[in-house]
Amino acid sequence: MGIRDDIRTHTDELVAIRRDLHMHPELGFEEFRTADIIETYLTDLGLDPKRMAKTGMVATLTGTAPGAESGPTLMLRADIDALPIQELTDLPYKSQNDGRMHACGHDAHTAMLMIAAKILVARKNEISGRVKFLFQPNEEVAGAEIMIEAGCLENPSVDAAMGIHIWTPLPSGTIAATPGGVMATMVPFRIVITGKGGHTGYPELAVDPIIAAADLIQTAQRLQTRDISLLTPTALVFSKIESGSKNNIIPDQVVLEGTVRFLYEPAANQEPVERLEEIVASVCAVHKCTYEMSSFTQNTVVMNDPGMAQLVRDVAREIVDDEAKILDHRSMAGEDFAAYARRVPAVFAFVGTADPAKGSDLPHHSPRFAIDESTMPTGVELFVRTALRYFEESNNRARDGKEER
Ligand SMILES: [Zn+2]
Ligand SMILES: [Zn+2]
């Protein structure tokens, strides 16, 4: 049976798994029910899943094709966590957990990788190496690093990695795999501007932090268009302002929060967050205020390896009927898959799932978020075909190497 027919016979199961997970969403590192389901499923496939980082799961399939024992290890990754959102859809399988929702599509990723595991186990005689299936908790708050600390890239050590996101910004039927930065570095920041409170009738006797904050919000925008090349996407957004108690009182402090995002590895003198702090210091000095600024890097940029991205594009050509449906796509959203991509050659691909007729064109993290389930088999096919092609190509490389010697 061809791969696509094989997947077609598992479509009902794929949808059923996804809907069950959708009904029972769990937050990061609390995915106990989800982990149990994955563990049982992988065990029934004859694999030996290992728990990691509380609710993470790793299972390795060793192929039976010649050279498998000494062949490379490809890691396929799905994230499994949900979000603290009250679901507002009318779907018959909507969330049954109050204030919890699979509003990013990780339920689909989990189901897709489970079915991909089933199909690859059945095709292990085509695998001249190992496939490591990684089910990762807490993507929304950088769970990948915790899995890596727990050893998910070792025993056997991983040579390459692939992840997929079902993606509502792209139309159903499309696949995107783009070399270079595809999802952004994300740095949340907090700035506390301190002046000296007073009477709005005597502003000259006070030090007004509000006018400093207003100036800062304006002046800081130069970061994106004047300090850093327009060809290197940078997004500075203030998302929270807190200050004041009454209309005739100048407050002591303003607290500003927001994020800086960028899609590149910054040069030493072009680090956007350092540049932001220089602007904060200058603006506060003008307004006679002091400041404290804190920030942390939640995700670094997801850098797709050019060879791995090409591999997925070649495979995508076998899946979609039209070259125009293979897209280049980059997003300013963050994704902790970056942690793997920093350590091994990796590719993070998008499977488009937007169909306005099905209401699946809403942003990720919306309380009405929905996916087009008919795009899930494409995700399975992309996992399966990429894995098989990866081993085929590494075999060819090994053979060419031998012939040269
Ligand atoms: Zn998300
Ligand atoms: Zn996500």
Side-chain angles (χ1 to χ4, degrees), residues 187-257:
V187 185
F189 63 82
R190 182 171 195 268
I191 300 164
V192 181
I193 301 176
T194 303
K196 194 172 82 180
H199 195 291
T200 56
Y202 295 89
E204 73 279 14
L205 300 179
V207 176
D208 182 0
I210 292 211
I211 199 165
D215 191 354
L216 173 61
I217 290 168
Q218 293 292 334
T219 304
Q221 303 305 318
R222 60 167 290 125
L223 185 81
Q224 303 166 74
T225 58
R226 299 296 183 277
D227 291 342
I228 290 168
S229 166
L230 293 165
L231 300 176
T232 51
T234 310
L236 163 68
V237 177
F238 289 91
S239 55
K240 186 174 171 186
I241 310 178
E242 253 177 23
S243 184
S245 58
K246 192 170 183 293
N247 56 21
N248 62 354
I249 300 170
I250 292 173
D252 267 329
Q253 277 190 338
V254 177
V255 180
L256 300 170
E257 291 184 23

Side-chain angles (χ1 to χ4, degrees), residues 83 103-106 139-140 165 167 334-335 364-365:
L83 286 153
C104 203
H106 301 182
E139 187 287 318
E140 299 288 355
H165 214 302
W167 207 234
E335 162 65 54
H364 289 253
H365 298 196

Side-chain angles (χ1 to χ4, degrees), residues 66-318:
E69 283 300 330
S70 57
T73 299
L74 173 68
M75 184 173 88
L76 303 179
R77 175 271 208 172
D79 41 10
I80 66 173
D81 56 318
L83 286 153
I85 294 175
Q86 184 69 39
E87 180 161 357
L88 296 179
T89 72
D90 296 320
L91 296 168
Y93 51 89
K94 71 184 277 188
S95 169
Q96 294 182 355
N97 295 353
D98 240 16
R100 305 278 184 270
M101 178 184 177
H102 269 295
C104 203
H106 301 182
D107 49 347
H109 306 163
T110 306
M112 278 155 37
L113 189 57
M114 286 164 72
I115 299 294
K118 187 178 217 177
I119 291 169
L120 286 167
V121 165
R123 289 176 177 269
K124 65 182 171 190
N125 61 345
E126 298 171 43
I127 295 172
S128 53
R130 294 174 195 80
V131 184
K132 189 180 269 195
F133 302 101
L134 179 87
F135 293 86
Q136 182 213 301
N138 204 29
E139 187 287 318
E140 299 288 355
V141 201
E145 285 291 349
I146 316 271
M147 284 296 277
I148 292 169
E149 278 166 31
C152 75
L153 294 179
E154 303 308 322
N155 299 320
S157 83
V158 170
D159 296 291
M162 176 193 188
I164 296 179
H165 214 302
I166 285 274
W167 207 234
T168 65
L170 297 179
S172 291
T174 61
I175 295 173
T178 311
V182 290
M183 292 190 80
T185 294
M186 206 275 262
V187 185
F189 63 82
R190 182 171 195 268
I191 300 164
V192 181
I193 301 176
T194 303
K196 194 172 82 180
H199 195 291
T200 56
Y202 295 89
E204 73 279 14
L205 300 179
V207 176
D208 182 0
I210 292 211
I211 199 165
D215 191 354
L216 173 61
I217 290 168
Q218 293 292 334
T219 304
Q221 303 305 318
R222 60 167 290 125
L223 185 81
Q224 303 166 74
T225 58
R226 299 296 183 277
D227 291 342
I228 290 168
S229 166
L230 293 165
L231 300 176
T232 51
T234 310
L236 163 68
V237 177
F238 289 91
S239 55
K240 186 174 171 186
I241 310 178
E242 253 177 23
S243 184
S245 58
K246 192 170 183 293
N247 56 21
N248 62 354
I249 300 170
I250 292 173
D252 267 329
Q253 277 190 338
V254 177
V255 180
L256 300 170
E257 291 184 23
T259 57
V260 179
R261 296 167 183 269
F262 46 97
L263 257 180
Y264 50 91
E265 304 277 15
N269 59 349
Q270 283 231 319
E271 216 292 315
V273 184
E274 285 172 16
R275 179 63 191 132
L276 172 62
E277 181 149 8
E278 287 171 17
I279 298 171
V280 173
S282 306
V283 170
C284 286
V286 167
H287 292 281
K288 300 180 182 136
C289 291
T290 57
Y291 78 93
E292 274 173 46
M293 177 169 158
S294 55
S295 65
F296 68 99
T297 303
Q298 183 165 323
N299 290 313
T300 56
V301 59
V302 177
M303 273 291 168
N304 275 350
D305 174 78
M308 290 297 290
Q310 190 57 50
L311 175 71
V312 171
R313 288 178 85 91
D314 291 344
V315 165
R317 241 166 240 127
E318 297 172 18

